[in-house]
Structures are given as structure tokens and as C-alpha cells.
Amino acid sequence: MNKLIDPFLRKINYLRISVTDHCNYRCFYCRDEFHHSRTKRSEVLNLEEITRIARIFSELGVSKIRLTGGEPLIRKNILSLVKMLGEIPGISDIPLSTNAHLLKQYAQELQNFGINRVNISIDSLQEKRFAEITRGGDLHKVIEGIDAAIVVGMNPIKLNMVVMQDINSDEIEAMLDFAIDREIDIRFIETMPIGADGIKALEQHVSQAHILARIEAHLQRKLEKIQLRETDGPAHNYQINNSKSRVGIISAVSDNFCATCNRVRLTAKGRLILCLGQEHSVSLRDAIRADKTDDEIKQIIISAIGKKPEKHEFNTNVKNIELRQMVEIGG
Ligand code: SAM
């Protein structure tokens, strides 16, 4: 039975775990230019601590755990962690968010350990532009990673593109074609105002309505159509006729999906974040390292869920999250 019901009667069954706040890319909207992770190894949860927290969450009713970061594939012994999490009774789904730089070498083993669902960030199909957005990323390696995930049979594979005016918004159609050609899914994401540079990136905001109009016009030219599907997460999802691909739009700014929010986030340093856009958080690392029992930790989690804010305020009040970096929270 799920014991994690928040004050707005939302059932929390999804935990996103950021396994590291380091990343091999430095996307400008995700991390401020001069932000460096100086996290010491001892500050970060070790694999046993992560697994213990995950097990406690599963006993409280969580069934889905997403691994994110930073870049999860640079975390040492990530495969051991995947295996340990996969052995927790009650955890039925372990998707991964990655920039895919290292995915080619990991795809098969990840799949062997039960990771079938993968979200891959890719904001441009132009090498130079891709390197600029990611401050040094290698597009070729990312495409190799995507193709490796397809070859080993991961499904669904979702591409995530953060759409920014005058930066990459001219590539909406090209990205759509790229996904359709590979029979994988794609989601277009509005920039969220997190971190000082994330807030600046709001100036390049492209609205959900504009993105949708561009997708529809493009698909109409290709004699396709999209059909509205029920929203199953923080995205409007559409099925493309005559295609295996689906399109989603994550419009956290134009819209908000908070009424159906079913998730909380654990940072690499063990802080439980109750809302992507609000400050509320509690340190589970401190609780674990103070030798609290499982029952005591459950009480801390239940009481934190009791303080989960109703909604983010990306569209009304961005100041209060200025000091937070997306690279630390994991998206
Ligand atoms: N390194 C992994 C990756 O690239 O997917 C996982 C971490 S990354 C923080 C997770 C997602 O957050 C990515 O899809 C990224 O594009 C998105 N993201 C980061 N900063 C964002 C922002 N300010 N607005 C919207 N999405 C953002």
C-alpha cells in the first residue's frame, strides 16, 4: 500500500535519484558558467546508502526509480548500483536519463541488468552548435549512443530537446525527422528557470503552442497527423500516425502539471527535494549517517511528503530557485 500521499492527495510512487552531480557536459542552461561541482566523495551517498533509501521508498509505495545526474554513466560502479536497485522487491521500473556520450559502451550491460527505458538529451544535430550548447560535447558519440540503445532493443527511447529561440529552435523539424527515421520518441522541453543561467535562458523561451504548431505543420507536409494521447507524466503526448514515434511537449512554463505530480527527487548528496521549483528539502544522508532505523527514516520521509508544495512557480516567481543548479537535481 502506498503510504506517500501528500496534502493535495497526490500519490508519490516515483523517485528520481541523481547519482552524481558531476557531468562530462556543461549545457549552459543546466549549469552556470562558473559553477563547478566540488563535492567530496564522502559527501555523496555511497551505493549501499542509495540502495537502502530506495528500498525504504519501495516499502512506502514507490515502484519507479529513475537514475539521473549530473551524468549517471560517469558514476563509478553504476552497473553495480543498477543491479542492487533491480533486486529490491517492489521496484518494477528503472529508467535512465543520460547525455549518451558513454552509452555505446554501456547499452548492452544496462539492458542485461534490466534498464530498458532511456531518455537521451540532444539539443542539436549540428556538430558545432551541439558543442557550443554542451560546452564541449561530441555529437558523433551521442548519435552512436542512441544507435547502440536501438540495436540492443531498449524501448522506449525518448530524445529530450530543450528548445531555445535563436539557439536551436530552427531544428524542431530536423529533430522530429531524426526520431521518426529511427522509430523512437522525442520530447520538446521548454527551458525552466533554474540556476542563474537557466533563468537567463528564459529569454530564449519558446512556447508549447509554437512548438506544437511547428510539429503539426511539418507532419502535415509529410501527410501525417498526430493524435492526442492521454498525458501520463509532465508532458502532452501525441502519437504520430503511420509511425512508431511519439512526440511529447514538456511545457513546465506555459503550463504546469503539478496537479498530477507523483515524484520526489534525491540528490547525490542525499537531499530529498520535494518540488523541482521550490526550496523545500530534507537531508536523508544526515538521517542515515546518524544511524536512524528504517522506521525512523520512513517517518522523516512521510513527514517531508506532508510538506510537498502544491506547485512550482516557474511562471510567476523565479527568484527563489536562483541558487539551485539543474545539474545537481537531475532534471
Ligand atoms: N546528464 C543527463 C542528461 O543529459 O539527460 C541527466 C541529467 S540532465 C540535468 C536531465 C535533463 O534536464 C536533460 O534532459 C536536460 O536537458 C534537462 N535540463 C537541464 N536544465 C534544464 C533547464 N534549465 N530547463 C529544462 N530542462 C533542463
Side-chain angles (χ1 to χ4, degrees), residues 16 23 29-30 68-72 97-99 119-121 123 160 162 189-194 198 326-327 330-331:
R16 297 175 62 101
C23 190
Y29 52 78
C30 184
T68 178
E71 172 48 40
S97 288
T98 174
N99 59 30
N119 287 4
I120 298 174
S121 307
D123 296 333
N160 280 340
V162 177
I189 304 179
E190 291 183 339
T191 322
M192 296 175 219
I194 294 185
M326 193 72 115
V327 68

Side-chain angles (χ1 to χ4, degrees), residues 33-314:
E33 190 174 359
F34 300 109
H35 174 266
H36 285 278
S37 291
R38 299 197 200 289
T39 317
K40 290 193 224 113
R41 186 185 283 197
S42 62
E43 290 179 274
V44 171
L45 294 176
N46 64 37
L47 302 195
E48 287 71 27
E49 289 172 326
I50 296 176
T51 308
R52 180 171 174 213
I53 293 175
R55 179 181 48 74
I56 290 173
F57 266 99
S58 89
E59 288 168 8
L60 289 169
V62 162
S63 56
K64 170 175 168 182
I65 290 182
R66 174 175 296 279
L67 298 179
T68 178
E71 172 48 40
L73 296 184
I74 65 171
R75 169 85 197 229
K76 210 168 158 219
N77 296 327
I78 183 72
L79 291 171
S80 308
L81 177 66
V82 171
K83 184 163 181 295
M84 287 155 78
L85 295 176
E87 286 166 357
I88 299 175
I91 300 297
S92 54
D93 194 11
I94 311 181
L96 173 82
S97 288
T98 174
N99 59 30
H101 183 90
L102 295 171
L103 191 55
K104 187 178 175 199
Q105 74 197 61
Y106 276 109
Q108 186 62 65
E109 281 179 292
L110 284 168
Q111 217 223 13
N112 295 346
F113 285 130
I115 290 199
N116 232 347
R117 296 179 348 102
V118 66
N119 287 4
I120 298 174
S121 307
I122 175 167
D123 296 333
S124 174
L125 293 168
Q126 300 175 19
E127 228 165 282
K128 185 165 168 280
R129 183 184 276 179
F130 182 86
E132 279 166 10
I133 294 174
T134 53
R135 298 188 184 117
D138 181 344
L139 177 64
H140 176 68
K141 275 197 168 289
V142 171
I143 294 179
E144 271 186 356
I146 295 169
D147 288 337
I150 295 170
V151 167
V152 304
M154 286 187 174
N155 186 16
I157 298 169
K158 292 184 191 164
L159 305 182
N160 280 340
M161 174 191 187
V162 177
V163 183
M164 296 162 285
Q165 189 65 43
D166 301 328
I167 292 184
N168 64 352
S169 56
D170 57 335
E171 289 189 68
I172 292 175
E173 292 80 3
M175 291 288 283
L176 199 51
D177 288 342
F178 179 87
I180 292 172
D181 288 349
R182 285 171 166 74
E183 301 190 332
I184 58 179
D185 297 343
I186 179 153
R187 301 186 318 165
F188 298 98
I189 304 179
E190 291 183 339
T191 322
M192 296 175 219
I194 294 185
D197 285 354
I199 291 173
K200 254 190 262 152
L202 262 191
E203 288 161 21
Q204 274 92 34
H205 178 249
V206 181
S207 73
Q208 173 201 333
H210 176 84
I211 297 171
L212 188 56
R214 291 268 298 275
I215 296 170
E216 279 180 321
H218 184 63
L219 292 178
Q220 236 129 41
R221 278 195 294 275
K222 289 175 68 130
L223 297 178
E224 308 256 12
K225 279 213 167 61
I226 49 180
Q227 290 173 339
L228 196 59
R229 276 175 73 247
E230 203 156 290
T231 295
D232 59 357
H236 290 296
N237 288 314
Y238 306 89
Q239 179 71 49
I240 303 174
N241 282 353
N242 307 319
S243 161
K244 292 199 173 130
S245 297
R246 287 166 298 182
V247 189
I249 304 179
I250 302 188
S251 48
V253 179
S254 303
D255 222 343
N256 83 50
F257 301 92
C258 304
T260 53
C261 183
N262 62 345
R263 64 203 58 195
V264 288
R265 296 168 166 84
L266 183 69
T267 69
K269 289 189 220 164
R271 191 153 272 283
L272 181 67
I273 294 191
L274 297 159
C275 170
L276 185 57
Q278 303 281 5
E279 294 294 359
H280 305 66
S281 70
V282 60
S283 174
L284 296 185
R285 183 192 67 190
D286 292 353
I288 280 197
R289 294 188 184 173
D291 288 334
K292 301 268 186 218
T293 63
D294 283 5
D295 280 344
E296 286 169 329
I297 293 169
K298 278 182 191 163
Q299 280 318 313
I300 292 171
I301 294 171
I302 289 169
S303 136
I305 299 291
K307 299 192 185 93
K308 185 170 162 65
E310 184 180 8
K311 55 186 180 188
H312 65 67
E313 296 170 297
F314 289 148

